[in-house]
Amino acid sequence: MMNAVKLDQPGPPQNLYMGQVPVPTVKEKRVLLKVYTSAINRADTLQRKGLYPPPAGESEILGLEAAGKIETLGPNCSGKWKIGDRVMALVGGGGNAEFVLVDENHVMPVPVGLDFTKAGAIPEVWLTAFQLLHTVGHVQAGETVLIHAGGSGVGTAAVQLAKLAGARALVTAGSQVKIDMAVSLGATDGFNYKEGEFASKVLKATEGKGVNLVLDCVGASFWEQNVETLAMDGRWVLYGLLGGGKLTGDILAKVLRKRIGLTGTTLRSRSSEYKTNLINAFTKNALPYFEDGTLKPIIDTAFPLSKIAEAHQYMEDNKNTGKIILSVREDDSHGEL
């Protein structure tokens, strides 16, 4: 048996608690990961509320990422991993537990020099940001990208990846602290959406040209300003609906007028093959930059797994700048960094 986060009834953070569940049974081409750290994401809060069920066949336990050591190799694994390897993984569920079963192709090595706390902040948000910018957004050097929620886990990752790609990053956020963080990571400017509209400020910052790409986790409440800030033939990538999903107005006419490409995307529900290809591209093109400090995971705070309700409330209150980490067990491998 193992300790894991449990949820008997969808609802507020207080419905989460720790309990005993069976350790996952090892399956073909899967590895059992001994979890040292996990994290929480907006998708976890939605699942807790009963609004985002796990894909068919995935664990009902919360948690979309984990970092730790490989405990057991399943039958017919390819040989790319060995027992004891320090790795981090993207999972469809089950990360908020002492052990999690992972597709061997959804595992990445922990970059040299990073402990499990930092490694636990990478898989979900950095793969999401990489997907938004490259796989879906097709960012190019010299372009300008507007990143909403620039102080979030995905936002702080997207700012750094945009800079690495040779693009200019602008952000929106709900506090000056979050804007300052994004600017320190490479954003050229930031705008506090709580202080009024941001579209005119974005246009001023781009000398009236607008942005080439918008990464939008907000949705309805920002749609008019998104359209206003986008340049002709701009791309609008929608990956969240924090501001609602119901629109009124002439959105289609405005999208058509500017020839805007609007794409909705998620990661959790993607096929295993898609995730494998994304992880391979990220491992090749981004992961090495963590070792020299060009890219760095931004961590707001770490809660012990037993404080899962408090961690969810912290995210619900929008207090975090960067990732909220869950510490599952003590890191006993400092000498291996």
Side-chain angles (χ1 to χ4, degrees):
M1 300 292 283
M2 67 174 183
N3 291 312
V5 171
K6 299 192 73 175
L7 175 68
D8 296 332
Q9 183 69 33
Q14 291 71 31
N15 286 15
L16 298 169
Y17 67 99
M18 296 299 296
Q20 287 272 301
V21 300
V23 174
T25 302
V26 179
K27 299 178 182 178
E28 186 174 23
K29 297 184 178 179
R30 301 291 191 271
V31 299
L32 184 66
L33 181 62
K34 182 179 181 181
V35 179
Y36 283 72
T37 58
S38 185
I40 62 173
N41 297 278
R42 289 289 176 184
D44 296 309
T45 66
L46 292 173
Q47 181 176 336
R48 189 200 73 234
K49 296 173 184 177
L51 302 175
Y52 192 30
E58 297 290 355
S59 172
E60 295 284 341
I61 298 171
L62 298 178
L64 303 179
E65 57 197 331
K69 295 180 181 179
I70 291 181
E71 179 81 0
T72 309
L73 300 172
N76 299 319
C77 281
S78 64
K80 66 170 71 175
W81 306 111
K82 64 182 186 296
I83 292 174
D85 279 348
R86 293 164 45 83
V87 298
M88 49 194 185
L90 180 71
V91 298
N96 294 174
E98 291 181 321
F99 294 91
V100 64
L101 197 62
V102 189
D103 185 319
E104 67 165 345
N105 293 317
H106 298 171
V107 174
M108 299 170 282
V110 172
V112 174
L114 266 61
D115 59 19
F116 285 131
T117 298
K118 292 178 180 177
I122 293 176
E124 173 69 17
V125 295
W126 281 86
L127 286 167
T128 295
F130 189 88
Q131 175 196 219
L132 298 174
L133 282 168
H134 294 283
T135 313
V136 181
H138 305 293
V139 69
Q140 300 296 316
E143 291 189 325
T144 301
V145 185
L146 176 61
I147 301 166
H148 293 316
S152 67
V154 173
T156 54
V159 166
Q160 295 178 71
L161 289 171
K163 181 181 179 182
L164 183 65
R168 178 189 182 193
L170 305 175
V171 302
T172 65
S175 72
Q176 192 59 46
V177 169
K178 294 185 178 184
I179 290 171
D180 290 344
M181 171 61 76
V183 170
S184 75
L185 295 173
T188 60
D189 213 338
F191 314 101
N192 190 334
Y193 64 84
K194 293 182 178 179
E195 296 178 352
E197 63 87 26
F198 56 81
S200 63
K201 299 171 185 176
V202 172
L203 289 173
K204 182 178 179 181
T206 58
E207 299 179 336
K209 297 175 183 177
V211 301
N212 306 102
L213 176 62
V214 172
L215 304 186
D216 179 20
C217 58
V218 178
S221 61
F222 279 5
W223 83 259
E224 289 181 288
Q225 294 191 82
N226 285 340
V227 172
E228 188 175 347
T229 60
L230 275 162
M232 191 69 71
D233 296 311
R235 289 101 63 203
W236 176 2
V237 178
L238 178 68
Y239 70 102
L241 297 171
L242 294 175
K246 295 183 179 180
L247 306 181
T248 57
D250 56 348
I251 179 172
L252 294 180
K254 292 184 176 181
V255 166
L256 182 63
R257 194 174 302 126
K258 281 191 170 182
R259 301 192 299 267
I260 292 170
L262 171 57
T263 305
T265 186
T266 59
L267 180 54
R268 187 183 192 184
S269 60
R270 296 279 192 173
S271 70
S272 178
E273 182 181 10
Y274 179 97
K275 292 176 182 177
T276 296
N277 291 336
L278 176 65
I279 288 167
N280 288 342
F282 179 81
T283 300
K284 177 182 178 181
N285 298 307
L287 206 57
Y289 292 96
F290 287 95
E291 296 188 5
D292 66 10
T294 300
L295 300 177
K296 54 184 178 179
I298 304 302
I299 297 169
D300 181 278
T301 190
F303 288 85
L305 187 63
S306 60
K307 301 291 185 181
I308 185 64
E310 289 91 332
H312 270 245
Q313 188 62 59
Y314 191 79
M315 175 168 275
E316 292 278 8
D317 294 339
N318 205 30
K319 293 180 178 179
N320 60 299
T321 301
K323 287 289 288 186
I324 300 171
I325 296 296
L326 298 171
S327 299
V328 179
R329 51 167 52 89
E330 190 74 21
D331 187 345
D332 55 4
S333 54
H334 298 292
E336 300 173 29
L337 298 181

